């Protein structure tokens, strides 16, 4: 097998392994950051996603309200709900509130984390693939055919 084929094959295998390992670290971090920023920095998230989720000539604002949730034993516990609603310049609600913005935000952050993981994996895989190709070409003795 030629050295370039060995380098390419080993580089691809290393990239897949590195991508998997880095993704296992970055995706949960993106979920935590997305969840925290949706609740703590809801206005910032509304400013970023508002132009995509709201109709023209309306702005996004996050409305919070008290609600309940159930714990693992089925007991009701107090909770805070977050909804993004679209409001026009007169203050009228153009589009009713929906918690979908939080799912879009977390999904967007996970997509960014996968792109970063792919780039970091490439930074590791390319030099290692070249190194393996050099080592495999030196290790094989020349055949006398």
């Amino acid at each position: 097998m030629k050295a370039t084929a060995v380098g390419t094959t080993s580089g691809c295998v290393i990239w897949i392994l590195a991508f998997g390992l880095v993704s296992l670290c970055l995706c949960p971090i993106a979920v935590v950051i997305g969840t925290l920023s949706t609740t703590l920095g809801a206005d910032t998230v509304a400013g970023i996603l508002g132009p995509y989720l709201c109709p023209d000539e309306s702005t996004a604002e996050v409305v919070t309200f008290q609600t309940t949730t159930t714990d693992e034993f089925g007991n009701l516990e107090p909770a805070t709900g977050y909804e993004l609603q679209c409001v026009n310049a007169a203050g009228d609600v153009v589009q009713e509130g929906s918690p979908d913005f939080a799912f879009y935000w977390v999904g967007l952050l996970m997509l960014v984390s996968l792109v970063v993981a792919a780039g970091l994996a490439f930074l590791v895989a390319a030099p290692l693939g070249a190194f393996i190709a050099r080592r495999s070409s030196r290790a094989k003795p020349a055949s006398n055919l």
Side-chain angles (χ1 to χ4, degrees), residues 1-16 125-126 128-134 136:
M1 189 178 257
K2 293 184 179 180
T4 55
V6 169
T8 303
T9 304
S10 61
C12 287
V13 170
I14 292 169
W15 184 87
I16 290 169
L128 282 175
F131 175 74
I132 291 171
R134 278 194 310 257
S136 70

PDB file of all heavy atoms in Angstrom, residues 1-16 125-126 128-134 136:
ATOM      1  N   MET A   1       0.853  -1.171   0.000  1.00  0.00           N
ATOM      2  CA  MET A   1       0.000   0.000   0.000  1.00  0.00           C
ATOM      3  C   MET A   1       0.897   1.232   0.000  1.00  0.00           C
ATOM      4  O   MET A   1       1.882   1.296   0.720  1.00  0.00           O
ATOM      5  CB  MET A   1      -0.893  -0.026   1.242  1.00  0.00           C
ATOM      6  CG  MET A   1      -1.950   1.027   1.234  1.00  0.00           C
ATOM      7  SD  MET A   1      -3.020   0.912   2.687  1.00  0.00           S
ATOM      8  CE  MET A   1      -4.456   0.149   1.969  1.00  0.00           C
ATOM      9  N   LYS A   2       0.569   2.211  -0.820  1.00  0.00           N
ATOM     10  CA  LYS A   2       1.371   3.428  -0.902  1.00  0.00           C
ATOM     11  C   LYS A   2       1.268   4.227   0.381  1.00  0.00           C
ATOM     12  O   LYS A   2       0.292   4.145   1.110  1.00  0.00           O
ATOM     13  CB  LYS A   2       0.898   4.283  -2.072  1.00  0.00           C
ATOM     14  CG  LYS A   2       1.152   3.666  -3.420  1.00  0.00           C
ATOM     15  CD  LYS A   2       0.744   4.630  -4.509  1.00  0.00           C
ATOM     16  CE  LYS A   2       1.016   4.044  -5.870  1.00  0.00           C
ATOM     17  NZ  LYS A   2       0.636   4.956  -6.931  1.00  0.00           N
ATOM     18  N   ALA A   3       2.281   5.051   0.595  1.00  0.00           N
ATOM     19  CA  ALA A   3       2.324   5.844   1.824  1.00  0.00           C
ATOM     20  C   ALA A   3       1.175   6.847   1.875  1.00  0.00           C
ATOM     21  O   ALA A   3       0.620   7.106   2.943  1.00  0.00           O
ATOM     22  CB  ALA A   3       3.657   6.567   1.936  1.00  0.00           C
ATOM     23  N   THR A   4       0.797   7.415   0.726  1.00  0.00           N
ATOM     24  CA  THR A   4      -0.310   8.386   0.746  1.00  0.00           C
ATOM     25  C   THR A   4      -1.625   7.703   1.089  1.00  0.00           C
ATOM     26  O   THR A   4      -2.459   8.276   1.794  1.00  0.00           O
ATOM     27  CB  THR A   4      -0.434   9.103  -0.610  1.00  0.00           C
ATOM     28  OG1 THR A   4      -0.571   8.122  -1.644  1.00  0.00           O
ATOM     29  CG2 THR A   4       0.774   9.962  -0.874  1.00  0.00           C
ATOM     30  N   ALA A   5      -1.824   6.475   0.611  1.00  0.00           N
ATOM     31  CA  ALA A   5      -3.052   5.743   0.940  1.00  0.00           C
ATOM     32  C   ALA A   5      -3.084   5.398   2.428  1.00  0.00           C
ATOM     33  O   ALA A   5      -4.132   5.483   3.072  1.00  0.00           O
ATOM     34  CB  ALA A   5      -3.158   4.482   0.096  1.00  0.00           C
ATOM     35  N   VAL A   6      -1.920   5.016   2.951  1.00  0.00           N
ATOM     36  CA  VAL A   6      -1.848   4.707   4.382  1.00  0.00           C
ATOM     37  C   VAL A   6      -2.123   5.970   5.191  1.00  0.00           C
ATOM     38  O   VAL A   6      -2.875   5.951   6.169  1.00  0.00           O
ATOM     39  CB  VAL A   6      -0.464   4.118   4.733  1.00  0.00           C
ATOM     40  CG1 VAL A   6      -0.283   4.036   6.242  1.00  0.00           C
ATOM     41  CG2 VAL A   6      -0.296   2.754   4.111  1.00  0.00           C
ATOM     42  N   GLY A   7      -1.529   7.084   4.791  1.00  0.00           N
ATOM     43  CA  GLY A   7      -1.734   8.342   5.505  1.00  0.00           C
ATOM     44  C   GLY A   7      -3.168   8.810   5.445  1.00  0.00           C
ATOM     45  O   GLY A   7      -3.726   9.269   6.442  1.00  0.00           O
ATOM     46  N   THR A   8      -3.791   8.683   4.261  1.00  0.00           N
ATOM     47  CA  THR A   8      -5.179   9.108   4.110  1.00  0.00           C
ATOM     48  C   THR A   8      -6.114   8.222   4.922  1.00  0.00           C
ATOM     49  O   THR A   8      -7.002   8.723   5.624  1.00  0.00           O
ATOM     50  CB  THR A   8      -5.587   9.070   2.625  1.00  0.00           C
ATOM     51  OG1 THR A   8      -4.687   9.893   1.889  1.00  0.00           O
ATOM     52  CG2 THR A   8      -7.000   9.547   2.436  1.00  0.00           C
ATOM     53  N   THR A   9      -5.914   6.934   4.840  1.00  0.00           N
ATOM     54  CA  THR A   9      -6.775   6.005   5.574  1.00  0.00           C
ATOM     55  C   THR A   9      -6.628   6.199   7.082  1.00  0.00           C
ATOM     56  O   THR A   9      -7.628   6.292   7.802  1.00  0.00           O
ATOM     57  CB  THR A   9      -6.436   4.550   5.203  1.00  0.00           C
ATOM     58  OG1 THR A   9      -6.555   4.405   3.795  1.00  0.00           O
ATOM     59  CG2 THR A   9      -7.357   3.580   5.908  1.00  0.00           C
ATOM     60  N   SER A  10      -5.400   6.265   7.538  1.00  0.00           N
ATOM     61  CA  SER A  10      -5.206   6.444   8.971  1.00  0.00           C
ATOM     62  C   SER A  10      -5.682   7.821   9.424  1.00  0.00           C
ATOM     63  O   SER A  10      -6.233   7.964  10.520  1.00  0.00           O
ATOM     64  CB  SER A  10      -3.741   6.243   9.346  1.00  0.00           C
ATOM     65  OG  SER A  10      -2.928   7.191   8.681  1.00  0.00           O
ATOM     66  N   GLY A  11      -5.510   8.840   8.578  1.00  0.00           N
ATOM     67  CA  GLY A  11      -6.018  10.170   8.917  1.00  0.00           C
ATOM     68  C   GLY A  11      -7.529  10.182   9.055  1.00  0.00           C
ATOM     69  O   GLY A  11      -8.073  10.829   9.950  1.00  0.00           O
ATOM     70  N   CYS A  12      -8.218   9.468   8.159  1.00  0.00           N
ATOM     71  CA  CYS A  12      -9.686   9.398   8.238  1.00  0.00           C
ATOM     72  C   CYS A  12     -10.139   8.660   9.496  1.00  0.00           C
ATOM     73  O   CYS A  12     -11.086   9.084  10.167  1.00  0.00           O
ATOM     74  CB  CYS A  12     -10.252   8.715   6.997  1.00  0.00           C
ATOM     75  SG  CYS A  12     -10.172   9.731   5.522  1.00  0.00           S
ATOM     76  N   VAL A  13      -9.477   7.571   9.807  1.00  0.00           N
ATOM     77  CA  VAL A  13      -9.838   6.818  11.015  1.00  0.00           C
ATOM     78  C   VAL A  13      -9.580   7.662  12.256  1.00  0.00           C
ATOM     79  O   VAL A  13     -10.414   7.722  13.171  1.00  0.00           O
ATOM     80  CB  VAL A  13      -9.063   5.478  11.068  1.00  0.00           C
ATOM     81  CG1 VAL A  13      -9.235   4.797  12.418  1.00  0.00           C
ATOM     82  CG2 VAL A  13      -9.514   4.567   9.944  1.00  0.00           C
ATOM     83  N   ILE A  14      -8.449   8.355  12.281  1.00  0.00           N
ATOM     84  CA  ILE A  14      -8.135   9.225  13.419  1.00  0.00           C
ATOM     85  C   ILE A  14      -9.153  10.353  13.511  1.00  0.00           C
ATOM     86  O   ILE A  14      -9.585  10.722  14.598  1.00  0.00           O
ATOM     87  CB  ILE A  14      -6.698   9.765  13.305  1.00  0.00           C
ATOM     88  CG1 ILE A  14      -5.703   8.626  13.497  1.00  0.00           C
ATOM     89  CG2 ILE A  14      -6.443  10.874  14.312  1.00  0.00           C
ATOM     90  CD1 ILE A  14      -4.284   8.980  13.145  1.00  0.00           C
ATOM     91  N   TRP A  15      -9.553  10.924  12.348  1.00  0.00           N
ATOM     92  CA  TRP A  15     -10.535  12.013  12.367  1.00  0.00           C
ATOM     93  C   TRP A  15     -11.862  11.531  12.950  1.00  0.00           C
ATOM     94  O   TRP A  15     -12.465  12.223  13.765  1.00  0.00           O
ATOM     95  CB  TRP A  15     -10.767  12.569  10.964  1.00  0.00           C
ATOM     96  CG  TRP A  15     -11.697  13.729  10.981  1.00  0.00           C
ATOM     97  CD1 TRP A  15     -11.379  15.030  11.181  1.00  0.00           C
ATOM     98  CD2 TRP A  15     -13.126  13.690  10.820  1.00  0.00           C
ATOM     99  NE1 TRP A  15     -12.503  15.807  11.153  1.00  0.00           N
ATOM    100  CE2 TRP A  15     -13.590  15.013  10.935  1.00  0.00           C
ATOM    101  CE3 TRP A  15     -14.040  12.672  10.598  1.00  0.00           C
ATOM    102  CZ2 TRP A  15     -14.937  15.332  10.837  1.00  0.00           C
ATOM    103  CZ3 TRP A  15     -15.378  12.992  10.504  1.00  0.00           C
ATOM    104  CH2 TRP A  15     -15.815  14.317  10.626  1.00  0.00           C
ATOM    105  N   ILE A  16     -12.309  10.352  12.543  1.00  0.00           N
ATOM    106  CA  ILE A  16     -13.579   9.827  13.052  1.00  0.00           C
ATOM    107  C   ILE A  16     -13.505   9.621  14.561  1.00  0.00           C
ATOM    108  O   ILE A  16     -14.421   9.999  15.299  1.00  0.00           O
ATOM    109  CB  ILE A  16     -13.957   8.512  12.330  1.00  0.00           C
ATOM    110  CG1 ILE A  16     -14.331   8.817  10.876  1.00  0.00           C
ATOM    111  CG2 ILE A  16     -15.087   7.788  13.037  1.00  0.00           C
ATOM    112  CD1 ILE A  16     -14.464   7.594  10.005  1.00  0.00           C
ATOM    113  N   ALA A 125      -6.107  15.126  13.183  1.00  0.00           N
ATOM    114  CA  ALA A 125      -6.013  14.002  12.257  1.00  0.00           C
ATOM    115  C   ALA A 125      -5.034  14.248  11.112  1.00  0.00           C
ATOM    116  O   ALA A 125      -4.324  13.324  10.703  1.00  0.00           O
ATOM    117  CB  ALA A 125      -7.396  13.681  11.687  1.00  0.00           C
ATOM    118  N   ALA A 126      -4.987  15.453  10.584  1.00  0.00           N
ATOM    119  CA  ALA A 126      -4.109  15.715   9.437  1.00  0.00           C
ATOM    120  C   ALA A 126      -2.635  15.496   9.782  1.00  0.00           C
ATOM    121  O   ALA A 126      -1.938  14.761   9.068  1.00  0.00           O
ATOM    122  CB  ALA A 126      -4.359  17.114   8.902  1.00  0.00           C
ATOM    123  N   LEU A 128      -1.336  13.744  12.263  1.00  0.00           N
ATOM    124  CA  LEU A 128      -1.117  12.345  12.638  1.00  0.00           C
ATOM    125  C   LEU A 128      -1.162  11.419  11.423  1.00  0.00           C
ATOM    126  O   LEU A 128      -0.396  10.461  11.342  1.00  0.00           O
ATOM    127  CB  LEU A 128      -2.135  11.898  13.681  1.00  0.00           C
ATOM    128  CG  LEU A 128      -1.852  12.355  15.105  1.00  0.00           C
ATOM    129  CD1 LEU A 128      -2.988  11.953  16.028  1.00  0.00           C
ATOM    130  CD2 LEU A 128      -0.553  11.789  15.605  1.00  0.00           C
ATOM    131  N   GLY A 129      -2.050  11.692  10.471  1.00  0.00           N
ATOM    132  CA  GLY A 129      -2.093  10.898   9.246  1.00  0.00           C
ATOM    133  C   GLY A 129      -0.814  11.041   8.444  1.00  0.00           C
ATOM    134  O   GLY A 129      -0.282  10.052   7.911  1.00  0.00           O
ATOM    135  N   ALA A 130      -0.289  12.257   8.350  1.00  0.00           N
ATOM    136  CA  ALA A 130       0.982  12.475   7.641  1.00  0.00           C
ATOM    137  C   ALA A 130       2.130  11.781   8.371  1.00  0.00           C
ATOM    138  O   ALA A 130       3.022  11.190   7.745  1.00  0.00           O
ATOM    139  CB  ALA A 130       1.251  13.967   7.515  1.00  0.00           C
ATOM    140  N   PHE A 131       2.114  11.847   9.697  1.00  0.00           N
ATOM    141  CA  PHE A 131       3.151  11.189  10.489  1.00  0.00           C
ATOM    142  C   PHE A 131       3.121   9.677  10.270  1.00  0.00           C
ATOM    143  O   PHE A 131       4.161   9.041  10.080  1.00  0.00           O
ATOM    144  CB  PHE A 131       2.955  11.524  11.967  1.00  0.00           C
ATOM    145  CG  PHE A 131       3.895  10.801  12.875  1.00  0.00           C
ATOM    146  CD1 PHE A 131       5.223  11.170  12.952  1.00  0.00           C
ATOM    147  CD2 PHE A 131       3.441   9.743  13.659  1.00  0.00           C
ATOM    148  CE1 PHE A 131       6.094  10.496  13.799  1.00  0.00           C
ATOM    149  CE2 PHE A 131       4.299   9.072  14.497  1.00  0.00           C
ATOM    150  CZ  PHE A 131       5.632   9.439  14.573  1.00  0.00           C
ATOM    151  N   ILE A 132       1.944   9.085  10.284  1.00  0.00           N
ATOM    152  CA  ILE A 132       1.814   7.636  10.077  1.00  0.00           C
ATOM    153  C   ILE A 132       2.262   7.264   8.666  1.00  0.00           C
ATOM    154  O   ILE A 132       2.915   6.241   8.464  1.00  0.00           O
ATOM    155  CB  ILE A 132       0.376   7.180  10.370  1.00  0.00           C
ATOM    156  CG1 ILE A 132       0.101   7.302  11.866  1.00  0.00           C
ATOM    157  CG2 ILE A 132       0.132   5.756   9.898  1.00  0.00           C
ATOM    158  CD1 ILE A 132      -1.335   7.087  12.258  1.00  0.00           C
ATOM    159  N   ALA A 133       1.943   8.097   7.681  1.00  0.00           N
ATOM    160  CA  ALA A 133       2.369   7.817   6.309  1.00  0.00           C
ATOM    161  C   ALA A 133       3.896   7.836   6.200  1.00  0.00           C
ATOM    162  O   ALA A 133       4.493   6.977   5.533  1.00  0.00           O
ATOM    163  CB  ALA A 133       1.763   8.840   5.356  1.00  0.00           C
ATOM    164  N   ARG A 134       4.547   8.793   6.845  1.00  0.00           N
ATOM    165  CA  ARG A 134       6.018   8.846   6.820  1.00  0.00           C
ATOM    166  C   ARG A 134       6.616   7.642   7.514  1.00  0.00           C
ATOM    167  O   ARG A 134       7.597   7.059   7.044  1.00  0.00           O
ATOM    168  CB  ARG A 134       6.504  10.124   7.488  1.00  0.00           C
ATOM    169  CG  ARG A 134       6.466  11.329   6.599  1.00  0.00           C
ATOM    170  CD  ARG A 134       7.279  12.461   7.205  1.00  0.00           C
ATOM    171  NE  ARG A 134       6.918  12.698   8.601  1.00  0.00           N
ATOM    172  CZ  ARG A 134       6.158  13.698   9.023  1.00  0.00           C
ATOM    173  NH1 ARG A 134       5.693  14.565   8.160  1.00  0.00           N
ATOM    174  NH2 ARG A 134       5.883  13.839  10.296  1.00  0.00           N
ATOM    175  N   SER A 136       5.273   4.682   7.959  1.00  0.00           N
ATOM    176  CA  SER A 136       5.038   3.426   7.234  1.00  0.00           C
ATOM    177  C   SER A 136       5.911   3.334   5.994  1.00  0.00           C
ATOM    178  O   SER A 136       6.311   2.239   5.600  1.00  0.00           O
ATOM    179  CB  SER A 136       3.570   3.285   6.860  1.00  0.00           C
ATOM    180  OG  SER A 136       3.230   4.210   5.864  1.00  0.00           O
TER     181      SER A 136
END
